[in-house]
Amino acid sequence: MADLKMLGELERKILWLATWMVHNANHLRDNGDGLKVGGHQASSASLATIMTALYFHALRPEDRVAVKPHASPIYHAIQYLLGNQTREKMENFRGYKGVQSYPSRTKDVDDVDFSTGSVGLGVAQTLFSSLVQDYVRAKGWAGDLPEGKMVALVGDAEMDEGNIFEALLEGWKHGLRNAWWVVDYNRQSLDAVVREGLWARFEAVFRNFGWDVVVIKHGKLQQATFTEPGGDKLRDWIDACPNQLYSALTFQGGVAWRKRLMDDLGDQGPVSRLIEKRSDEELAALMGNLGGHDLPSLIEAFERARTHDRPVCFIAYTIKGFGLPLAGHKDNHAGLMTPTQVEALRQTMDVRSGREWEPFEGLAVGEPNAKAFLKKVPFAQRGRRRFAAAEVGVPELLQFGAQPSMSTQQGFGLIMHEIAKSDTPLAKRIVTTSPDVTVSTNLGAWVNRRGLFSKETMADLFKAERIQSTYNWAFSPEGQHMELGIAEMNLFIMLSALGLSHSIFGERLLPVGTLYDPFIERGLDALNYACYQDARFMIVATPSGVTLAPEGGAHQSIATPLIGMAQDGLASFEPAFVDELSVMMRWAFEYMQRSGEAKPDSITWLRDSTGGSVYLRLSTRTIDQPKREITPQLEQDIIKGGYWMRRPGPNAQVVLAYTGAVAPEAIAATGMMGEDRRDVGLLAVTSADRLNAGWTAAQRARETGLSHASSHVERLLAGIPSHCGIVTVIDGHPATLGWLGSVHGHRTRSLGVEHFGQTGSIAEIYRHYGIDAQGILSSAEVLTAGRPIRHFRAV
């Protein structure tokens, strides 16, 4: 039986701490520039009761929670009471190294399960994490860990995010189970009040996808009042009351409630007596007793849902700003209480001046009783709930069936097929996923070998009917490919969930997701979110660039190399040859497992000490493969970001640097330049991201006193004469390599693609953009004059 008095006291306490935290940041702490710090006192307040019921009663250690972004102060106040957060960091809320504006796995010290901030993504993450829990358990792993509920605390305006509905589709397809979404239905967003009748539509959507829908609308006080004479009329009025009017009357208080109710319902009989026998304060308390602010109603709903594993959407009616003088006002989203209002609240909460941060100040139940209760809270019984999974061994060499001419996309498929044929720990721990482009990204052979995942076995009916097919795909619990529909947001949130399995479920997975390179941009917010959480996965994006010539501009990617360079937590590579790809993939499987969480405030060397995720930009262009041995030195250079295909001599006039599928043009142009210029060099850039990150880190290190710090790209370019020019070329935006000349001050001409592509053959498109051999020669001629080149083509 829940200790409702204790829970009520804790609810008041966390509301006070959250409110004071925001007030301190905006009115008391010196922030230097006088600008508003912010903090969403009203949005936090509407969730205080719900989060009290969850964290201090309903949740278990195995449960995982994505907290509504604007409820961050409430969350940190709860963690403070549980001993997981410090007063120092709370005093510095939204300040340097203080608690974060929105809960963060990597930047907050308390036990954040899922980062939130970009609205909707944390909600969907809980759905995909529930699917990952099913995957792990279907393999017979994590058997000593009870199944947990994946819980999202959702702002009602957050439900406008389209990715939530995309996720619902995947949840239905994969038989979603242990997911709870608790909707803080305060009916107010940043700009407006939620439209009438909207939740009837949402409720229908959830039911259609197989969810239970639990509406928590009226608290126990209202329910008891409805049984009084005239109570049925009051209930009908509340149920029919427009959202804006309910909010406005809440803000105005008991006098306004009395006048409106008497005007609308007064009958000089039972209803009038029901209203008149209550004081203004009692009437305001009655009308504010919505289900989302009633501990008994919430506890009852959560306990009932605990008994089964169906997904549940709780629609909890609340008041934005509940318990504060801001309650109900349509402008309260970013509003801040005045010092006078906070002082009045302090007195109401029985908090003595100077003891505002004391965790047990003002509790009527007493400090010893509160401490004893908190020690027994079920959710806190296991301490910090982060697991350290064992590392999966990676072979010294990833094999592939080498062919004289191949594309990197083809090579990826061959490497994955070789892994699939083995019975290694690596093969068992890889899980692949793709947004309906499994075949066209060359994962088909892997799926043939390892199968599609489903909690229930489903036969391949084409095979059963003896219809010839290249792909014999059956669904079963043994499968290792998660089939997704065409939604890149779902792909990246799924990768995020899979890539946190080691921390959340104690079982290491090595997720590999494939998609078309241009469509990274369709899921970019979710990719950024996944990296922000320090999830570990491999993105294989193929085909890429204008090399996909016949498809035209809609399927040709330009900016993705820059995304790879700019995205924190993501090491980006673009191989030209399959032997390079093999080295990259082997390194990536190790890099994805490196121990230690990201330390964003420290100066790290390429993040290699902490690891991260990996992005491979591949091509469908078939090119001749080099016959060579990958030496240990060459392997290191490939991973560091570049190596000399042809080392320049001491009198070099021009150096050509290339990335990816334009290798044949770069090689041909280098040979042609050699007829006219001395000591021409050819630099293979395997990762502009790694080269640039290393250079930036070395500069920063020297600025902090490490005078001998040097980066790989500085060493590569060190021997080039100062008069030498650099021509760079990539099937992507030229800025990707345009910075190379800045390393040692060389004149540079960067070639690439800056505009939407055309349709045509590769030769025609390369010529159109000047990234063919002749275009490279033309640029080199302007940059560093040599003898006239026969058949020179002006551009």
Side-chain angles (χ1 to χ4, degrees):
M1 185 65 125
D3 186 340
L4 293 177
K5 182 177 180 182
M6 178 66 73
L7 290 174
E9 287 288 299
L10 291 174
E11 176 192 0
R12 294 175 73 250
K13 189 65 194 179
I14 63 173
L15 177 61
W16 163 254
L17 287 170
T19 304
W20 180 252
M21 195 188 317
V22 178
H23 177 73
N24 178 72
N26 287 277
H27 293 287
L28 303 180
R29 188 179 75 214
D30 182 13
N31 61 13
D33 53 19
L35 295 177
K36 175 183 174 181
V37 176
H40 302 101
Q41 288 170 322
S43 291
S44 289
S46 63
L47 261 178
T49 320
I50 292 170
M51 292 178 69
T52 298
L54 283 169
Y55 279 96
F56 295 132
H57 181 78
L59 294 179
R60 301 295 180 263
E62 59 271 18
D63 299 331
R64 301 288 176 161
V65 188
V67 177
K68 183 181 82 167
H70 293 153
S72 172
I74 291 287
Y75 172 78
H76 292 300
I78 288 172
Q79 295 296 319
Y80 181 52
L81 292 180
L82 292 173
N84 298 326
Q85 183 57 270
T86 68
R87 171 176 169 174
E88 178 186 12
K89 287 188 176 294
M90 289 183 38
E91 287 181 348
N92 208 19
F93 171 65
R94 291 193 169 206
Y96 182 58
K97 294 189 177 180
V99 296
Q100 295 297 296
S101 309
Y102 313 117
S104 170
R105 279 184 61 87
T106 56
K107 295 179 181 292
D108 279 315
V109 297
D110 42 10
D111 201 12
V112 177
D113 292 316
F114 305 113
S115 299
T116 53
S118 186
V119 294
L121 297 181
V123 181
Q125 175 92 23
T126 61
L127 182 150
F128 286 102
S129 286
S130 183
L131 299 182
V132 172
Q133 181 176 237
D134 285 344
Y135 181 90
V136 166
R137 296 184 74 84
K139 305 300 181 189
W141 302 331
D144 59 341
L145 184 69
E147 282 189 334
K149 304 294 184 185
M150 303 296 116
V151 183
L153 303 178
V154 191
D156 50 5
E158 201 170 5
M159 291 301 296
D160 288 346
E161 286 289 341
N163 72 278
I164 288 178
F165 297 95
E166 292 177 346
L168 284 173
L169 285 165
E170 289 300 337
W172 173 78
K173 284 163 54 178
H174 289 276
L176 177 68
R177 297 166 58 238
N178 289 300
W180 286 3
W181 288 2
V182 185
V183 180
D184 173 16
Y185 189 38
N186 60 47
R187 292 158 287 170
Q188 288 181 249
S189 63
L190 174 60
D191 290 333
V193 176
V194 172
R195 292 291 180 90
E196 302 300 327
L198 186 62
W199 266 101
R201 304 291 183 269
F202 284 150
E203 183 176 346
V205 168
F206 278 96
R207 292 195 189 280
N208 285 338
F209 282 116
W211 289 58
D212 288 353
V213 178
V214 177
V215 179
I216 312 171
K217 185 169 186 177
H218 303 289
K220 296 297 184 182
L221 180 60
Q222 284 192 357
Q223 292 177 40
T225 302
F226 297 155
T227 64
E228 297 178 20
D232 56 334
K233 299 289 193 302
L234 178 64
R235 178 170 193 151
D236 292 343
W237 186 93
I238 291 174
D239 288 346
C241 182
N243 293 336
Q244 287 200 51
L245 178 58
Y246 211 95
S247 295
L249 292 171
T250 297
F251 177 73
Q252 292 174 298
V255 173
W257 277 118
R258 183 179 306 282
K259 182 178 186 307
R260 186 67 190 222
L261 290 174
M262 290 298 289
D263 287 348
D264 289 357
L265 295 176
D267 59 357
Q268 304 302 313
V271 180
S272 293
R273 286 192 293 274
L274 183 150
I275 297 168
E276 289 171 344
K277 75 177 184 180
R278 289 166 169 84
S279 67
D280 290 343
E281 291 76 15
E282 290 171 334
L283 190 58
L286 171 63
M287 300 308 288
N289 181 235
L290 300 178
H293 299 307
D294 188 69
L295 284 166
S297 298
L298 290 165
I299 288 169
E300 187 178 286
F302 294 146
E303 286 181 345
R304 277 201 302 264
R306 192 96 216 177
T307 61
H308 63 76
D309 62 0
R310 293 186 301 276
V312 183
C313 175
F314 300 92
I315 303 174
Y317 278 68
T318 60
I319 294 166
K320 195 165 187 174
F322 182 75
L324 305 179
L326 304 172
H329 197 289
K330 71 182 184 68
D331 299 336
N332 66 12
H333 182 85
L336 295 174
M337 291 170 61
T338 66
T340 301
Q341 289 173 323
V342 172
E343 174 61 19
L345 182 67
R346 182 185 67 77
Q347 295 180 25
T348 301
M349 295 289 190
D350 295 325
V351 174
R352 288 169 288 178
S353 179
R355 297 180 60 85
E356 291 87 357
W357 293 105
E358 294 301 316
F360 303 105
E361 175 72 10
L363 291 181
V365 293
E367 181 174 337
N369 290 332
K371 284 184 174 180
F373 178 87
L374 291 171
K375 282 184 179 180
K376 295 180 181 179
V377 167
F379 183 70
Q381 293 308 299
R382 206 166 60 204
R384 186 171 168 83
R385 298 158 311 116
R386 298 278 178 101
F387 295 102
E391 188 172 329
V392 177
V394 181
E396 289 296 319
L397 179 67
L398 295 185
Q399 301 284 349
F400 60 93
Q403 299 176 20
S405 295
M406 305 170 67
S407 70
T408 48
Q409 185 192 95
Q410 180 185 3
F412 165 71
L414 292 173
I415 292 168
M416 291 296 292
H417 189 215
E418 289 298 322
I419 295 172
K421 291 192 294 185
S422 70
D423 192 33
T424 61
L426 174 67
K428 292 177 182 177
R429 292 288 173 158
I430 290 174
V431 54
T432 60
T433 186
S434 186
D436 203 40
V437 290
T438 302
V439 173
S440 52
T441 54
N442 267 44
L443 266 180
W446 161 269
V447 180
N448 263 355
R449 288 276 180 178
R450 309 304 290 200
L452 295 112
F453 175 75
S454 173
K455 294 196 295 290
E456 298 178 356
T457 299
M458 293 181 286
D460 183 339
L461 292 180
F462 276 78
K463 183 178 180 181
E465 294 294 327
R466 299 181 181 178
I467 299 173
Q468 291 292 327
S469 173
T470 306
Y471 304 103
N472 300 314
W473 292 357
F475 288 88
S476 75
E478 289 75 39
Q480 289 178 239
H481 179 75
M482 303 285 283
E483 182 188 43
L484 297 175
I486 309 174
E488 283 75 14
M489 293 291 283
N490 282 344
L491 169 72
F492 287 120
I493 302 176
M494 172 64 91
L495 287 173
S496 180
L498 291 165
L500 287 176
S501 176
H502 61 284
S503 177
I504 291 178
F505 302 116
E507 294 292 343
R508 175 75 64 182
L509 298 177
L510 296 172
V512 178
T514 66
L515 78 165
Y516 295 169
D517 191 65
F519 301 140
I520 282 179
E521 292 161 341
R522 289 172 58 172
L524 194 52
D525 193 17
L527 170 60
N528 181 66
Y529 170 72
C531 292
Y532 179 65
Q533 298 205 94
D534 196 29
R536 305 299 181 86
F537 50 87
M538 183 190 300
I539 307 166
V540 180
T542 178
S544 64
V546 296
T547 301
L548 193 64
E551 294 286 346
H555 280 68
Q556 297 170 1
S557 52
I558 298 170
T560 49
L562 297 176
I563 292 170
M565 292 180 68
Q567 180 61 59
D568 187 23
L570 189 69
S572 172
F573 293 88
E574 185 166 356
F577 305 111
V578 177
D579 58 1
E580 297 170 352
L581 174 62
S582 177
V583 169
M584 294 169 185
M585 289 182 65
R586 185 199 175 280
W587 178 85
F589 284 127
E590 288 187 340
Y591 184 69
M592 290 157 60
Q593 302 182 68
R594 292 193 182 169
S595 60
E597 296 172 8
K599 298 178 179 65
D601 296 323
S602 64
I603 297 175
T604 58
W605 194 263
L606 298 176
R607 289 179 55 101
D608 282 6
S609 61
T610 58
S613 294
V614 179
Y615 161 35
L616 303 176
R617 188 176 189 252
L618 307 185
S619 173
T620 50
R621 188 187 186 194
T622 298
I623 63 175
D624 292 340
Q625 300 293 303
K627 295 180 179 179
R628 60 183 176 182
E629 177 187 358
I630 300 291
T631 64
Q633 183 60 56
L634 178 55
E635 182 175 334
Q636 288 182 30
D637 289 347
I638 289 170
I639 296 306
K640 289 177 180 177
Y643 63 92
W644 287 111
M645 286 279 285
R646 176 174 171 174
R647 191 174 294 275
N651 300 306
Q653 294 173 286
V654 65
V655 162
L656 176 57
Y658 76 90
T659 285
V662 294
E665 285 67 30
I667 293 169
T670 301
M672 296 167 70
M673 284 186 225
E675 300 175 3
D676 177 56
R677 293 169 177 79
R678 293 181 294 174
D679 294 350
V680 177
L682 179 61
L683 179 65
V685 177
T686 53
S687 174
D689 173 38
R690 301 269 295 169
L691 284 184
N692 186 267
W695 179 46
T696 302
Q699 292 177 90
R700 185 180 295 116
R702 290 194 292 268
E703 291 163 3
T704 58
L706 300 176
S707 58
H708 298 293
S710 178
S711 67
H712 185 57
V713 71
E714 288 171 321
R715 294 188 293 272
L716 283 172
L717 302 180
I720 300 175
S722 59
H723 64 267
C724 181
I726 301 176
V727 178
T728 71
V729 60
I730 182 175
D731 183 2
H733 199 282
T736 308
L737 300 176
W739 57 273
L740 283 174
S742 298
V743 175
H744 290 305
H746 293 95
R747 288 170 299 142
T748 303
R749 172 72 171 100
S750 297
L751 306 178
V753 183
E754 301 166 78
H755 305 289
F756 292 116
Q758 306 287 328
T759 54
S761 67
I762 289 178
E764 289 170 328
I765 304 307
Y766 277 21
R767 184 166 59 250
H768 177 84
Y769 287 105
I771 58 174
D772 62 341
Q774 190 63 59
I776 296 170
L777 285 172
S778 300
S779 296
E781 179 65 21
V782 173
L783 187 66
T784 59
R787 294 191 304 272
I789 300 173
R790 187 174 299 175
H791 306 307
F792 180 83
R793 172 174 59 82
V795 294

